[in-house]
Amino acid sequence: MQGCGDAPKTTMSWRDYHEWTKHSVESLGRLPHLLDWANMPDPFRHYEGVPILDLPADPPALETSALTALHGVAGPTAAEDGPTFLSQLLFHSASISASKLVPSTGSRYALRVNPSSGNLHPTEFHFLARGLKEWPDGLYHYRPSSHMAEQRAMGALELGLAGNVAPIVLILTSIVWREAWKYGDRAYRYCSHDIGHAWQAIATAAQAMGCENFARGCFPDDYVSQFCRLHEDEWPMLIIELRGGSIPLGKPRSTESIWYGGHANQISKESIAFPRIDRIHRATKLSHPGTSDIAIAEPASTGYGRIKLPYAASSPRTFGEVVRMRRSALNFVGGLRAISLAQLSALLTVTTPPFSADFAAARFTRLYVYAHRVDGLEPGVYKLWPEDATLEQIKSGDQRVVAAGLSLGQELAGNACVAFSMIGDLERAAEAHGDRGYRYVHFEAGAIGHRLYLAAEALGLGATGIGAFYDDEVHRYLNLTSEQGQVVYHFAIGYPVPDSRLNT
Ligand SMILES: Cc1cc2nc3c(=O)[nH]c(=O)nc-3n(C[C@H](O)[C@H](O)[C@H](O)COP(=O)(O)O)c2cc1C
């Protein structure tokens, strides 16, 4: 491990980490970052030397309506056995769904159902299976490069975090180095967003397959790492339990557990240490199971807007089609073409159903909308009040240049029909969950972003998550005091510019 500068203290407060990783004109000048392409991390982890189990190719498509699934309506059961169920779940949440051409070399690289900052994919999917029909109990690591499962252990293994053992328990981990290679210290934020996206990719697919999901952010990190025998570069971030009648169960089989483990591939020649990332991770770790029975203070500001959101636009597109076709737009077609207020309403309402998680008793993130081209809505900035589905106008006039400028000058935020700032109440999250709350706010923002991606695709629009923005400039522009929160994620939705390099 090569050092990256300062001598590490044991932990770093989330406030210091957040301050340090803010983008500003000065910080971007201060930290020139050249990409070492020869040392680019491999986006695929393999645990070598273990049995590999096939997941059936071309599992049945998920025909339930995408917007209906996003509103929490369970889809019908289609899978008759464990392998088909797992294949269907992962095919619609974590698999490769497209590729892109690199014109200068003629090579192609993979794109997946779940988006990822810089397409670097720090998130790995592990799962425990228990009692599935025609699928051996055990611990598996998903191999998206070939849509297969690496069997890391066989037998009735239990994480032991909840009362009832769920038949499927996913453990999402982050290999932060993949993201830090490009984004440096700010990478911990992006990895946490990516976990939020991956969470909702699994949760919405499970919903569309008719089963319940529940996420646990509150678990002892080192215990879970040891239980799963994770390589040291992989950190457990979120656990998702799937239950319900649609999961095909077989006759109970009790087998002794056999560990294969496997050797984790080295993902780059050398991994550079980022002491600040180690410190924020350590600060947000738990050494005990924790409790979800927490009193959460009311938000600092409550209110309402004058503009009532109309009935939301509908879409005939199926969940399967939408998740497999979802892409990030590189840019949007500017000009005059607008979205309707009913489409905006459909986009906003998919962000409001409660999340199913032990840290989701309260929402910490609020949406500010930069409306550039929405029929029936004057250009301006609006705050969403989800409690009564209203918009409060806080600025009027053309926001295109400002929105692009705040997103580090990225044109797509100005060419979109609407752009968003997600404002996270980091203080309130910390009061409720301690330093761990820092992760939760970023998971929540990623989760909201994922729902926006899917709703946009369902409505025939394109979307892009934007992790790069001038933090304090956003606060100044929106007149936000620190009690009102900090910007944690940007987003843009509009008519995408076609990308000729894309092959679906
Ligand atoms: C957390 C996050 C932050 C992102 N930030 C940006 C950004 O600042 N600018 C941009 O053009 N794309 C951004 N993206 C989009 C990614 O580049 C895109 O997801 C990735 O290239 C994979 O493409 P796909 O979404 O089509 O699968 C972001 C995506 C995520 C999930």
Side-chain angles (χ1 to χ4, degrees):
M1 282 262 202
Q2 177 186 313
C4 202
D6 53 350
K9 285 191 214 135
T10 333
T11 63
M12 180 179 206
S13 80
W14 64 263
R15 283 187 195 82
D16 291 342
Y17 172 80
H18 198 72
E19 251 344 281
W20 174 259
T21 54
K22 282 181 176 175
H23 280 325
S24 65
V25 176
E26 300 77 52
S27 75
L28 290 175
R30 191 176 72 216
L31 301 167
H33 189 60
L34 295 178
L35 292 183
D36 179 1
W37 290 101
N39 198 35
M40 183 185 177
D42 185 341
F44 297 108
R45 153 102 331 143
H46 302 301
Y47 281 90
E48 306 288 359
V50 299
I52 311 283
L53 274 65
D54 265 334
L55 292 166
D58 298 324
L62 291 175
E63 302 288 356
T64 194
S65 139
L67 288 181
T68 309
L70 285 168
H71 282 289
V73 178
T77 307
E80 285 176 358
D81 54 39
T84 310
F85 188 92
L86 290 166
S87 176
Q88 208 178 20
L89 177 74
L90 293 161
F91 186 75
H92 291 95
S93 55
S95 65
I96 290 173
S97 53
S99 68
K100 248 185 206 182
L101 180 73
V102 183
S104 56
T105 62
S107 60
R108 294 200 155 268
Y109 60 93
L111 297 166
R112 307 191 199 179
V113 171
N114 56 317
S116 168
S117 183
N119 199 36
L120 296 164
H121 288 283
T123 310
E124 295 291 328
F125 296 73
H126 300 254
F127 60 93
L128 283 162
R130 184 82 189 262
L132 299 189
K133 188 174 169 192
E134 293 164 33
W135 183 268
D137 289 356
L139 174 69
Y140 298 84
H141 169 247
Y142 178 54
R143 203 181 248 212
S145 56
S146 54
H147 191 56
M148 289 172 166
E150 298 165 356
Q151 190 178 36
R152 304 199 53 232
M154 193 167 74
L157 297 163
E158 260 180 57
L159 252 181
L161 296 177
N164 278 338
V165 180
I168 301 173
V169 179
L170 288 118
I171 299 115
L172 306 190
T173 66
S174 291
I175 301 183
V176 182
W177 158 241
R178 280 200 187 121
E179 204 71 23
W181 167 78
K182 181 166 183 189
Y183 297 111
D185 285 333
R186 198 168 157 108
Y188 197 73
R189 297 194 193 191
Y190 298 163
C191 289
S192 305
H193 287 135
D194 278 17
I195 289 285
H197 283 279
W199 165 30
Q200 285 304 297
I202 293 283
T204 54
Q207 191 71 43
M209 292 171 68
C211 70
E212 295 153 25
N213 66 90
F214 186 77
R216 293 183 188 278
C218 185
F219 55 82
D221 297 64
D222 290 344
Y223 165 75
V224 173
S225 295
Q226 282 152 19
F227 180 91
C228 298
R229 302 193 191 178
L230 296 174
H231 188 261
E232 59 178 14
D233 64 5
E234 255 184 80
W235 299 341
M237 300 292 272
L238 194 68
I239 294 171
I240 309 171
E241 296 159 2
L242 303 187
R243 291 190 166 82
S246 71
I247 301 177
L249 299 178
K251 292 200 184 83
R253 276 173 296 178
S254 80
T255 46
E256 258 180 60
S257 52
I258 304 170
W259 268 93
Y260 306 111
H263 296 289
N265 61 334
Q266 189 178 341
I267 60 166
S268 55
K269 275 192 298 209
E270 176 185 34
S271 72
I272 315 291
F274 286 85
R276 286 186 183 81
I277 292 183
D278 292 341
R279 276 145 58 186
I280 180 65
H281 185 62
R282 230 173 280 141
T284 59
K285 276 168 82 167
L286 297 175
S287 52
H288 53 84
T291 171
S292 48
D293 186 17
I294 289 163
I296 299 175
E298 287 298 313
S301 62
T302 51
Y304 62 92
R306 286 171 185 276
I307 302 162
K308 184 83 190 151
L309 286 172
Y311 204 67
S314 60
S315 157
R317 298 191 71 194
T318 67
F319 183 83
E321 189 186 349
V322 161
V323 298
R324 301 284 308 169
M325 294 300 288
R326 181 212 65 80
R327 287 275 66 85
S328 293
L330 292 185
N331 202 348
F332 297 97
V333 182
L336 296 176
R337 196 169 170 206
I339 60 168
S340 67
L341 197 49
Q343 283 178 309
L344 178 61
S345 181
L347 293 168
L348 294 175
T349 51
V350 301
T351 68
T352 56
F355 291 121
S356 179
D358 60 358
F359 53 89
R363 272 290 168 100
F364 297 109
T365 312
R366 287 223 170 254
L367 283 182
Y368 285 71
V369 185
Y370 303 76
H372 303 322
R373 296 189 314 283
V374 182
D375 279 336
L377 193 66
E378 188 195 324
V381 181
Y382 298 82
K383 182 173 181 178
L384 171 68
W385 291 101
E387 298 81 356
D388 61 355
T390 57
L391 292 172
E392 176 189 353
Q393 185 166 19
I394 59 166
K395 281 184 190 289
S396 62
D398 190 340
Q399 303 295 318
R400 289 175 298 176
V401 172
V402 173
L406 292 175
S407 294
L408 239 62
Q410 299 186 75
E411 277 182 24
L412 79 173
N415 288 332
C417 294
V418 281
F420 300 86
S421 286
M422 296 189 205
I423 306 299
D425 194 341
L426 297 170
E427 294 288 348
R428 201 161 55 95
E431 270 167 37
H433 300 288
D435 291 333
R436 189 74 151 200
Y438 189 70
R439 293 189 194 176
Y440 297 161
V441 176
H442 289 82
F443 294 170
E444 187 182 286
I448 292 171
H450 199 73
R451 292 175 149 265
L452 286 172
Y453 262 120
L454 298 188
E457 182 64 41
L459 295 167
L461 303 167
T464 305
I466 302 177
F469 39 78
Y470 290 116
D471 298 70
D472 284 340
E473 292 303 326
V474 175
H475 305 150
R476 271 191 281 278
Y477 189 66
L478 298 177
N479 292 320
L480 294 174
T481 60
S482 54
E483 293 86 67
Q484 289 167 300
Q486 306 254 346
V487 58
V488 287
Y489 200 15
H490 271 190
F491 214 83
I493 296 178
Y495 295 98
V497 169
D499 186 350
S500 58
R501 300 170 309 156
L502 188 65
N503 185 354
T504 48

